[in-house]
Amino acid sequence: MKHYKYLLMRRFSQIAILVLYIGANAWGWKILQGDLSASLLMGKVPLADPYAVVQIAVTGATLGIDIILGALIVTFFYGVIGGRAFCSWICPINMITDTAAWLRRKLKFSEVQKRFYMSRSLRYWILGLSLILSAVMGVAAFELISPVSMAHRGAIFGMGMGGGALVVIFLFDLLVHENGWCGYICPLGASYALIGKFSLIRIHHDANKCTDCRDCITVCPEKEVLHMVNRSSESVLMGECTNCGRCVDVCKEDALGFSIRSQLKQPKDEK
Amino acid sequence: MKNSPSNDRRRFLLSIARGIGLSAMGALVWSAYVGEVKSAPLVLRPPGALAEDKFIKNCIKCGLCVEACPYDTLKLAKPGDNLPMGTPYFIPRTIPCYMCSDIPCVPVCPSGALSEPSVSSYINKTNAQLDINKARMGLAVIDRESCIATWGIQCDACYRACPLMGQAITIEFSKNERTGKHAFLIPNVHADICTGCGMCEHACVTKKAAIYVLPRALAMGEAGNHYIKGWDPKDEQRLDTVKKNVPHEFTKTKLSEKSALDSLNDEGGL
Ligand code: SF4
Ligand code: SF4
Ligand code: SF4
Ligand code: SF4
């Protein structure tokens, strides 16, 4: 059971949040209204996606006070618990990309297939590009093509042809590149990686317990963040970590676990 | 030789160049697509919406207005609708705006894309009251060729459906010379009152509605402000400000030496 603890918790959180949103539109629930771009919590607290708000801001629009407040609340929240927790605990696309990654492992695709080169920093280029385009075109550029909002909005308000985008992402992750969408392309994830850079909740690695089975690296969607495995005991500090706990679930030796970041305990660069 | 500093530098510069090249290419495709989907001149927006170009900048596509509408009037554009994705719109022939007096769709908008002041009237400076009659979602336009009332058949479906009956739509009576004993009851829309709710379009009895709501920017012309209504004292006041502000040049010819009245009265050789 331990092997699935965080996975089950994540699926529960992802599905529960989706159901709350759907319930708001379909049956008028007042717990979580709107969608992932902007919502109303308990009919009172405004929430807004900071990346979407920045895109709107650079178009030169005069922003409503509610979305500014909403974006600040969300930024603060993920600034504390780890920005990319959004990606693994809330984002609905994650269930699709996880399925693709799981299938890839089962079918041993990554072993036979020579990966074509993609840079992890691609997503930051796309992030920058989206802001430039938003400013030039006078409309939030990524919001018009975002498969994340498309999928999420589709689930709440009706899909249209939006299902196509999901199929494309699934096939891309399955056939073209391991974790291709979340790990390399999605600028929304990139924005949360930046927000979560200094967050308090961190995965900690205990090198003394590690037997170097590398199961954690196999299962981690952002392998680079686990560079310390079996080398030194330290916390995962890169903002790209999604705080998904896949590595914790999979580690038989208990070498990995969630911890609160403490600057004091962190060994200074052990290279 | 392989990892000499100059080679490293070359590789670094090359990767930067590649990044820029790819970005330029991406930007081109992306902006072409965005330009394509953001232009939808025929779309009708919820009450209180800012002008289309501003609206599309502001709207964060949260759907809160859609959820607030009790009549399911508003929809969020889905892929395939050929509208800016995720933005709210309505199709009056399917479900019109029922002009709720409490306008639930407007105050929930977090982004300012739907502006409360634009649908409020002021009792005094601080006392605003929601007033749906100030909404300008569009303007109803009549195709007189297919409106059966203009054929002489009695129909006042749009007139009766209009929440501002007798104001936004009035009926003009005239004699039907063809039959000699009937009347024409012709509907007329008044642009200064019509909110663009589309109740008329929804009610129209023809196969495809003969009265339909268009975005105001499309439905209306513009005379330009150099025409002055001499019969409207307020409008004519504009002349005074013009005289004050614009340095005049007067054309002097032989005729203009005398005053205009003189020249009119001067019957010359007659
Ligand atoms: S390090 Fe662990 S928590 Fe972070 S992304 Fe990888 S598997 Fe998930
Ligand atoms: S005024 Fe009422 S009917 Fe019209 S769009 Fe708003 S909520 Fe819907
Ligand atoms: S509530 Fe405002 S921001 Fe949200 S979808 Fe409607 S118009 Fe757009
Ligand atoms: S004329 Fe039509 S669109 Fe205009 S207010 Fe009346 S019913 Fe609404």
Side-chain angles (χ1 to χ4, degrees), chain A residues 207-238:
Chain A
N208 301 323
K209 289 186 184 162
C210 179
T211 55
D212 204 17
C213 69
R214 308 187 74 74
D215 282 353
C216 53
I217 303 213
T218 309
V219 86
C220 177
E222 298 279 340
K223 308 188 189 312
E224 282 83 349
V225 309
L226 288 174
H227 56 81
M228 77 292 288
V229 162
N230 199 36
R231 282 201 202 122
S232 64
S233 297
E234 58 180 287
S235 292
V236 171
L237 284 191
M238 287 164 78

PDB file of all heavy atoms in Angstrom, chain A residues 207-238:
ATOM      1  N   ALA A 207      21.303   9.844   1.662  1.00  0.00           N
ATOM      2  CA  ALA A 207      22.229   9.022   0.877  1.00  0.00           C
ATOM      3  C   ALA A 207      22.665   7.778   1.646  1.00  0.00           C
ATOM      4  O   ALA A 207      23.040   6.770   1.055  1.00  0.00           O
ATOM      5  CB  ALA A 207      23.455   9.841   0.477  1.00  0.00           C
ATOM      6  N   ASN A 208      22.600   7.836   2.992  1.00  0.00           N
ATOM      7  CA  ASN A 208      23.032   6.674   3.784  1.00  0.00           C
ATOM      8  C   ASN A 208      22.114   5.476   3.609  1.00  0.00           C
ATOM      9  O   ASN A 208      22.531   4.334   3.729  1.00  0.00           O
ATOM     10  CB  ASN A 208      23.088   7.042   5.273  1.00  0.00           C
ATOM     11  CG  ASN A 208      24.045   8.179   5.499  1.00  0.00           C
ATOM     12  OD1 ASN A 208      25.087   8.245   4.840  1.00  0.00           O
ATOM     13  ND2 ASN A 208      23.681   9.091   6.386  1.00  0.00           N
ATOM     14  N   LYS A 209      20.835   5.763   3.352  1.00  0.00           N
ATOM     15  CA  LYS A 209      19.897   4.654   3.186  1.00  0.00           C
ATOM     16  C   LYS A 209      19.836   4.167   1.742  1.00  0.00           C
ATOM     17  O   LYS A 209      19.367   3.084   1.457  1.00  0.00           O
ATOM     18  CB  LYS A 209      18.494   5.113   3.607  1.00  0.00           C
ATOM     19  CG  LYS A 209      18.342   5.315   5.104  1.00  0.00           C
ATOM     20  CD  LYS A 209      16.876   5.608   5.394  1.00  0.00           C
ATOM     21  CE  LYS A 209      16.649   5.934   6.865  1.00  0.00           C
ATOM     22  NZ  LYS A 209      15.356   6.621   7.043  1.00  0.00           N
ATOM     23  N   CYS A 210      20.275   5.007   0.831  1.00  0.00           N
ATOM     24  CA  CYS A 210      20.104   4.728  -0.595  1.00  0.00           C
ATOM     25  C   CYS A 210      20.943   3.533  -1.042  1.00  0.00           C
ATOM     26  O   CYS A 210      22.118   3.419  -0.690  1.00  0.00           O
ATOM     27  CB  CYS A 210      20.497   5.960  -1.396  1.00  0.00           C
ATOM     28  SG  CYS A 210      20.364   5.719  -3.170  1.00  0.00           S
ATOM     29  N   THR A 211      20.319   2.604  -1.793  1.00  0.00           N
ATOM     30  CA  THR A 211      21.052   1.447  -2.300  1.00  0.00           C
ATOM     31  C   THR A 211      21.333   1.593  -3.790  1.00  0.00           C
ATOM     32  O   THR A 211      21.741   0.647  -4.450  1.00  0.00           O
ATOM     33  CB  THR A 211      20.242   0.156  -2.080  1.00  0.00           C
ATOM     34  OG1 THR A 211      18.955   0.341  -2.685  1.00  0.00           O
ATOM     35  CG2 THR A 211      20.087  -0.137  -0.613  1.00  0.00           C
ATOM     36  N   ASP A 212      21.076   2.772  -4.306  1.00  0.00           N
ATOM     37  CA  ASP A 212      21.332   3.084  -5.714  1.00  0.00           C
ATOM     38  C   ASP A 212      20.560   2.183  -6.684  1.00  0.00           C
ATOM     39  O   ASP A 212      21.074   1.789  -7.726  1.00  0.00           O
ATOM     40  CB  ASP A 212      22.837   3.007  -6.011  1.00  0.00           C
ATOM     41  CG  ASP A 212      23.182   3.860  -7.230  1.00  0.00           C
ATOM     42  OD1 ASP A 212      22.358   4.718  -7.598  1.00  0.00           O
ATOM     43  OD2 ASP A 212      24.268   3.670  -7.810  1.00  0.00           O
ATOM     44  N   CYS A 213      19.312   1.847  -6.316  1.00  0.00           N
ATOM     45  CA  CYS A 213      18.509   1.050  -7.252  1.00  0.00           C
ATOM     46  C   CYS A 213      17.995   1.927  -8.392  1.00  0.00           C
ATOM     47  O   CYS A 213      17.628   1.435  -9.449  1.00  0.00           O
ATOM     48  CB  CYS A 213      17.329   0.403  -6.537  1.00  0.00           C
ATOM     49  SG  CYS A 213      16.073   1.597  -6.012  1.00  0.00           S
ATOM     50  N   ARG A 214      17.962   3.216  -8.190  1.00  0.00           N
ATOM     51  CA  ARG A 214      17.562   4.220  -9.175  1.00  0.00           C
ATOM     52  C   ARG A 214      16.094   4.118  -9.602  1.00  0.00           C
ATOM     53  O   ARG A 214      15.705   4.636 -10.644  1.00  0.00           O
ATOM     54  CB  ARG A 214      18.489   4.175 -10.398  1.00  0.00           C
ATOM     55  CG  ARG A 214      19.966   4.253  -9.999  1.00  0.00           C
ATOM     56  CD  ARG A 214      20.895   4.388 -11.167  1.00  0.00           C
ATOM     57  NE  ARG A 214      20.876   5.708 -11.773  1.00  0.00           N
ATOM     58  CZ  ARG A 214      21.422   6.793 -11.253  1.00  0.00           C
ATOM     59  NH1 ARG A 214      22.013   6.720 -10.070  1.00  0.00           N
ATOM     60  NH2 ARG A 214      21.373   7.947 -11.877  1.00  0.00           N
ATOM     61  N   ASP A 215      15.299   3.449  -8.784  1.00  0.00           N
ATOM     62  CA  ASP A 215      13.861   3.396  -9.069  1.00  0.00           C
ATOM     63  C   ASP A 215      13.262   4.806  -9.084  1.00  0.00           C
ATOM     64  O   ASP A 215      12.380   5.111  -9.878  1.00  0.00           O
ATOM     65  CB  ASP A 215      13.124   2.560  -8.010  1.00  0.00           C
ATOM     66  CG  ASP A 215      13.310   1.079  -8.258  1.00  0.00           C
ATOM     67  OD1 ASP A 215      13.887   0.743  -9.328  1.00  0.00           O
ATOM     68  OD2 ASP A 215      12.900   0.268  -7.404  1.00  0.00           O
ATOM     69  N   CYS A 216      13.764   5.656  -8.159  1.00  0.00           N
ATOM     70  CA  CYS A 216      13.223   7.012  -8.081  1.00  0.00           C
ATOM     71  C   CYS A 216      13.481   7.765  -9.382  1.00  0.00           C
ATOM     72  O   CYS A 216      12.628   8.497  -9.878  1.00  0.00           O
ATOM     73  CB  CYS A 216      13.839   7.759  -6.900  1.00  0.00           C
ATOM     74  SG  CYS A 216      15.645   7.728  -6.891  1.00  0.00           S
ATOM     75  N   ILE A 217      14.667   7.563  -9.941  1.00  0.00           N
ATOM     76  CA  ILE A 217      15.002   8.292 -11.175  1.00  0.00           C
ATOM     77  C   ILE A 217      14.159   7.791 -12.332  1.00  0.00           C
ATOM     78  O   ILE A 217      13.729   8.561 -13.185  1.00  0.00           O
ATOM     79  CB  ILE A 217      16.514   8.155 -11.453  1.00  0.00           C
ATOM     80  CG1 ILE A 217      17.261   8.670 -10.232  1.00  0.00           C
ATOM     81  CG2 ILE A 217      16.896   8.861 -12.744  1.00  0.00           C
ATOM     82  CD1 ILE A 217      18.547   9.339 -10.437  1.00  0.00           C
ATOM     83  N   THR A 218      13.896   6.481 -12.333  1.00  0.00           N
ATOM     84  CA  THR A 218      13.055   5.943 -13.402  1.00  0.00           C
ATOM     85  C   THR A 218      11.681   6.593 -13.394  1.00  0.00           C
ATOM     86  O   THR A 218      11.133   6.933 -14.437  1.00  0.00           O
ATOM     87  CB  THR A 218      12.852   4.422 -13.206  1.00  0.00           C
ATOM     88  OG1 THR A 218      14.138   3.823 -13.026  1.00  0.00           O
ATOM     89  CG2 THR A 218      12.145   3.806 -14.391  1.00  0.00           C
ATOM     90  N   VAL A 219      11.167   6.775 -12.195  1.00  0.00           N
ATOM     91  CA  VAL A 219       9.775   7.189 -12.092  1.00  0.00           C
ATOM     92  C   VAL A 219       9.617   8.716 -12.101  1.00  0.00           C
ATOM     93  O   VAL A 219       8.553   9.249 -12.394  1.00  0.00           O
ATOM     94  CB  VAL A 219       9.151   6.542 -10.826  1.00  0.00           C
ATOM     95  CG1 VAL A 219       9.419   7.393  -9.601  1.00  0.00           C
ATOM     96  CG2 VAL A 219       7.673   6.282 -11.018  1.00  0.00           C
ATOM     97  N   CYS A 220      10.689   9.459 -11.825  1.00  0.00           N
ATOM     98  CA  CYS A 220      10.597  10.919 -11.721  1.00  0.00           C
ATOM     99  C   CYS A 220      10.432  11.562 -13.098  1.00  0.00           C
ATOM    100  O   CYS A 220      11.169  11.253 -14.028  1.00  0.00           O
ATOM    101  CB  CYS A 220      11.846  11.479 -11.050  1.00  0.00           C
ATOM    102  SG  CYS A 220      11.826  13.279 -10.971  1.00  0.00           S
ATOM    103  N   PRO A 221       9.463  12.448 -13.233  1.00  0.00           N
ATOM    104  CA  PRO A 221       9.263  13.109 -14.523  1.00  0.00           C
ATOM    105  C   PRO A 221      10.293  14.211 -14.781  1.00  0.00           C
ATOM    106  O   PRO A 221      10.369  14.721 -15.891  1.00  0.00           O
ATOM    107  CB  PRO A 221       7.854  13.708 -14.397  1.00  0.00           C
ATOM    108  CG  PRO A 221       7.664  13.934 -12.937  1.00  0.00           C
ATOM    109  CD  PRO A 221       8.442  12.849 -12.242  1.00  0.00           C
ATOM    110  N   GLU A 222      11.046  14.586 -13.775  1.00  0.00           N
ATOM    111  CA  GLU A 222      12.036  15.662 -13.935  1.00  0.00           C
ATOM    112  C   GLU A 222      13.373  15.158 -13.393  1.00  0.00           C
ATOM    113  O   GLU A 222      13.891  15.669 -12.405  1.00  0.00           O
ATOM    114  CB  GLU A 222      11.589  16.911 -13.158  1.00  0.00           C
ATOM    115  CG  GLU A 222      10.288  17.506 -13.621  1.00  0.00           C
ATOM    116  CD  GLU A 222      10.448  18.381 -14.854  1.00  0.00           C
ATOM    117  OE1 GLU A 222      11.574  18.847 -15.150  1.00  0.00           O
ATOM    118  OE2 GLU A 222       9.426  18.587 -15.540  1.00  0.00           O
ATOM    119  N   LYS A 223      13.920  14.144 -14.061  1.00  0.00           N
ATOM    120  CA  LYS A 223      15.049  13.407 -13.510  1.00  0.00           C
ATOM    121  C   LYS A 223      16.195  14.286 -13.016  1.00  0.00           C
ATOM    122  O   LYS A 223      16.875  13.951 -12.055  1.00  0.00           O
ATOM    123  CB  LYS A 223      15.562  12.422 -14.545  1.00  0.00           C
ATOM    124  CG  LYS A 223      14.416  11.564 -15.072  1.00  0.00           C
ATOM    125  CD  LYS A 223      14.876  10.453 -15.959  1.00  0.00           C
ATOM    126  CE  LYS A 223      13.694   9.763 -16.624  1.00  0.00           C
ATOM    127  NZ  LYS A 223      12.601   9.415 -15.683  1.00  0.00           N
ATOM    128  N   GLU A 224      16.423  15.416 -13.666  1.00  0.00           N
ATOM    129  CA  GLU A 224      17.548  16.269 -13.292  1.00  0.00           C
ATOM    130  C   GLU A 224      17.512  16.699 -11.833  1.00  0.00           C
ATOM    131  O   GLU A 224      18.546  16.937 -11.235  1.00  0.00           O
ATOM    132  CB  GLU A 224      17.590  17.528 -14.172  1.00  0.00           C
ATOM    133  CG  GLU A 224      18.157  17.308 -15.563  1.00  0.00           C
ATOM    134  CD  GLU A 224      17.112  16.760 -16.532  1.00  0.00           C
ATOM    135  OE1 GLU A 224      16.020  16.363 -16.070  1.00  0.00           O
ATOM    136  OE2 GLU A 224      17.400  16.733 -17.736  1.00  0.00           O
ATOM    137  N   VAL A 225      16.314  16.819 -11.272  1.00  0.00           N
ATOM    138  CA  VAL A 225      16.241  17.346  -9.911  1.00  0.00           C
ATOM    139  C   VAL A 225      16.787  16.344  -8.894  1.00  0.00           C
ATOM    140  O   VAL A 225      17.120  16.715  -7.776  1.00  0.00           O
ATOM    141  CB  VAL A 225      14.798  17.753  -9.509  1.00  0.00           C
ATOM    142  CG1 VAL A 225      14.184  18.662 -10.558  1.00  0.00           C
ATOM    143  CG2 VAL A 225      13.920  16.546  -9.269  1.00  0.00           C
ATOM    144  N   LEU A 226      16.912  15.073  -9.288  1.00  0.00           N
ATOM    145  CA  LEU A 226      17.402  14.051  -8.361  1.00  0.00           C
ATOM    146  C   LEU A 226      18.898  13.773  -8.553  1.00  0.00           C
ATOM    147  O   LEU A 226      19.365  12.674  -8.302  1.00  0.00           O
ATOM    148  CB  LEU A 226      16.594  12.757  -8.529  1.00  0.00           C
ATOM    149  CG  LEU A 226      15.160  12.812  -8.002  1.00  0.00           C
ATOM    150  CD1 LEU A 226      14.401  11.541  -8.345  1.00  0.00           C
ATOM    151  CD2 LEU A 226      15.139  13.028  -6.491  1.00  0.00           C
ATOM    152  N   HIS A 227      19.633  14.795  -8.950  1.00  0.00           N
ATOM    153  CA  HIS A 227      21.058  14.598  -9.242  1.00  0.00           C
ATOM    154  C   HIS A 227      21.853  14.115  -8.034  1.00  0.00           C
ATOM    155  O   HIS A 227      22.928  13.556  -8.154  1.00  0.00           O
ATOM    156  CB  HIS A 227      21.667  15.913  -9.763  1.00  0.00           C
ATOM    157  CG  HIS A 227      21.468  17.055  -8.829  1.00  0.00           C
ATOM    158  ND1 HIS A 227      22.265  17.260  -7.723  1.00  0.00           N
ATOM    159  CD2 HIS A 227      20.543  18.058  -8.808  1.00  0.00           C
ATOM    160  CE1 HIS A 227      21.852  18.337  -7.066  1.00  0.00           C
ATOM    161  NE2 HIS A 227      20.802  18.838  -7.708  1.00  0.00           N
ATOM    162  N   MET A 228      21.311  14.299  -6.802  1.00  0.00           N
ATOM    163  CA  MET A 228      22.072  13.959  -5.592  1.00  0.00           C
ATOM    164  C   MET A 228      21.911  12.507  -5.168  1.00  0.00           C
ATOM    165  O   MET A 228      22.557  12.067  -4.228  1.00  0.00           O
ATOM    166  CB  MET A 228      21.640  14.882  -4.443  1.00  0.00           C
ATOM    167  CG  MET A 228      20.316  14.528  -3.807  1.00  0.00           C
ATOM    168  SD  MET A 228      18.929  14.807  -4.931  1.00  0.00           S
ATOM    169  CE  MET A 228      18.864  16.581  -4.962  1.00  0.00           C
ATOM    170  N   VAL A 229      21.043  11.756  -5.863  1.00  0.00           N
ATOM    171  CA  VAL A 229      20.731  10.413  -5.385  1.00  0.00           C
ATOM    172  C   VAL A 229      21.992   9.552  -5.294  1.00  0.00           C
ATOM    173  O   VAL A 229      22.800   9.489  -6.210  1.00  0.00           O
ATOM    174  CB  VAL A 229      19.682   9.752  -6.298  1.00  0.00           C
ATOM    175  CG1 VAL A 229      19.647   8.249  -6.106  1.00  0.00           C
ATOM    176  CG2 VAL A 229      18.314  10.340  -5.990  1.00  0.00           C
ATOM    177  N   ASN A 230      22.148   8.929  -4.126  1.00  0.00           N
ATOM    178  CA  ASN A 230      23.286   8.091  -3.783  1.00  0.00           C
ATOM    179  C   ASN A 230      24.602   8.866  -3.722  1.00  0.00           C
ATOM    180  O   ASN A 230      25.661   8.277  -3.591  1.00  0.00           O
ATOM    181  CB  ASN A 230      23.427   6.913  -4.763  1.00  0.00           C
ATOM    182  CG  ASN A 230      24.289   5.820  -4.151  1.00  0.00           C
ATOM    183  OD1 ASN A 230      24.219   5.594  -2.942  1.00  0.00           O
ATOM    184  ND2 ASN A 230      25.110   5.194  -4.956  1.00  0.00           N
ATOM    185  N   ARG A 231      24.565  10.183  -3.838  1.00  0.00           N
ATOM    186  CA  ARG A 231      25.808  10.939  -3.739  1.00  0.00           C
ATOM    187  C   ARG A 231      25.889  11.683  -2.421  1.00  0.00           C
ATOM    188  O   ARG A 231      26.874  11.588  -1.704  1.00  0.00           O
ATOM    189  CB  ARG A 231      25.900  11.949  -4.880  1.00  0.00           C
ATOM    190  CG  ARG A 231      26.294  11.265  -6.144  1.00  0.00           C
ATOM    191  CD  ARG A 231      26.893  12.209  -7.159  1.00  0.00           C
ATOM    192  NE  ARG A 231      26.733  11.569  -8.453  1.00  0.00           N
ATOM    193  CZ  ARG A 231      26.097  12.103  -9.460  1.00  0.00           C
ATOM    194  NH1 ARG A 231      25.621  13.342  -9.374  1.00  0.00           N
ATOM    195  NH2 ARG A 231      25.952  11.446 -10.581  1.00  0.00           N
ATOM    196  N   SER A 232      24.832  12.438  -2.127  1.00  0.00           N
ATOM    197  CA  SER A 232      24.891  13.216  -0.897  1.00  0.00           C
ATOM    198  C   SER A 232      23.494  13.336  -0.320  1.00  0.00           C
ATOM    199  O   SER A 232      22.505  13.260  -1.037  1.00  0.00           O
ATOM    200  CB  SER A 232      25.458  14.608  -1.185  1.00  0.00           C
ATOM    201  OG  SER A 232      24.571  15.290  -2.038  1.00  0.00           O
ATOM    202  N   SER A 233      23.435  13.522   0.973  1.00  0.00           N
ATOM    203  CA  SER A 233      22.138  13.710   1.610  1.00  0.00           C
ATOM    204  C   SER A 233      21.773  15.175   1.526  1.00  0.00           C
ATOM    205  O   SER A 233      22.416  16.014   2.156  1.00  0.00           O
ATOM    206  CB  SER A 233      22.213  13.294   3.085  1.00  0.00           C
ATOM    207  OG  SER A 233      22.519  11.927   3.174  1.00  0.00           O
ATOM    208  N   GLU A 234      20.805  15.458   0.739  1.00  0.00           N
ATOM    209  CA  GLU A 234      20.354  16.851   0.662  1.00  0.00           C
ATOM    210  C   GLU A 234      18.926  16.902   0.123  1.00  0.00           C
ATOM    211  O   GLU A 234      18.374  15.882  -0.288  1.00  0.00           O
ATOM    212  CB  GLU A 234      21.292  17.684  -0.210  1.00  0.00           C
ATOM    213  CG  GLU A 234      21.441  17.164  -1.625  1.00  0.00           C
ATOM    214  CD  GLU A 234      22.385  18.052  -2.440  1.00  0.00           C
ATOM    215  OE1 GLU A 234      21.970  19.163  -2.800  1.00  0.00           O
ATOM    216  OE2 GLU A 234      23.532  17.615  -2.708  1.00  0.00           O
ATOM    217  N   SER A 235      18.364  18.092   0.110  1.00  0.00           N
ATOM    218  CA  SER A 235      16.994  18.247  -0.368  1.00  0.00           C
ATOM    219  C   SER A 235      16.996  18.572  -1.848  1.00  0.00           C
ATOM    220  O   SER A 235      17.957  19.125  -2.379  1.00  0.00           O
ATOM    221  CB  SER A 235      16.294  19.373   0.398  1.00  0.00           C
ATOM    222  OG  SER A 235      16.114  18.989   1.737  1.00  0.00           O
ATOM    223  N   VAL A 236      15.884  18.201  -2.478  1.00  0.00           N
ATOM    224  CA  VAL A 236      15.673  18.569  -3.871  1.00  0.00           C
ATOM    225  C   VAL A 236      15.308  20.046  -3.900  1.00  0.00           C
ATOM    226  O   VAL A 236      14.272  20.441  -3.377  1.00  0.00           O
ATOM    227  CB  VAL A 236      14.534  17.732  -4.465  1.00  0.00           C
ATOM    228  CG1 VAL A 236      14.145  18.259  -5.840  1.00  0.00           C
ATOM    229  CG2 VAL A 236      14.935  16.274  -4.537  1.00  0.00           C
ATOM    230  N   LEU A 237      16.154  20.855  -4.460  1.00  0.00           N
ATOM    231  CA  LEU A 237      15.898  22.296  -4.380  1.00  0.00           C
ATOM    232  C   LEU A 237      15.423  22.914  -5.688  1.00  0.00           C
ATOM    233  O   LEU A 237      14.974  24.043  -5.713  1.00  0.00           O
ATOM    234  CB  LEU A 237      17.164  23.027  -3.919  1.00  0.00           C
ATOM    235  CG  LEU A 237      17.468  22.892  -2.425  1.00  0.00           C
ATOM    236  CD1 LEU A 237      18.558  23.842  -2.022  1.00  0.00           C
ATOM    237  CD2 LEU A 237      16.220  23.136  -1.587  1.00  0.00           C
ATOM    238  N   MET A 238      15.528  22.172  -6.789  1.00  0.00           N
ATOM    239  CA  MET A 238      15.165  22.803  -8.057  1.00  0.00           C
ATOM    240  C   MET A 238      13.650  23.007  -8.149  1.00  0.00           C
ATOM    241  O   MET A 238      12.869  22.150  -7.758  1.00  0.00           O
ATOM    242  CB  MET A 238      15.654  21.958  -9.237  1.00  0.00           C
ATOM    243  CG  MET A 238      17.178  22.042  -9.409  1.00  0.00           C
ATOM    244  SD  MET A 238      17.806  20.740 -10.452  1.00  0.00           S
ATOM    245  CE  MET A 238      17.382  21.379 -12.072  1.00  0.00           C
TER     246      MET A 238
END
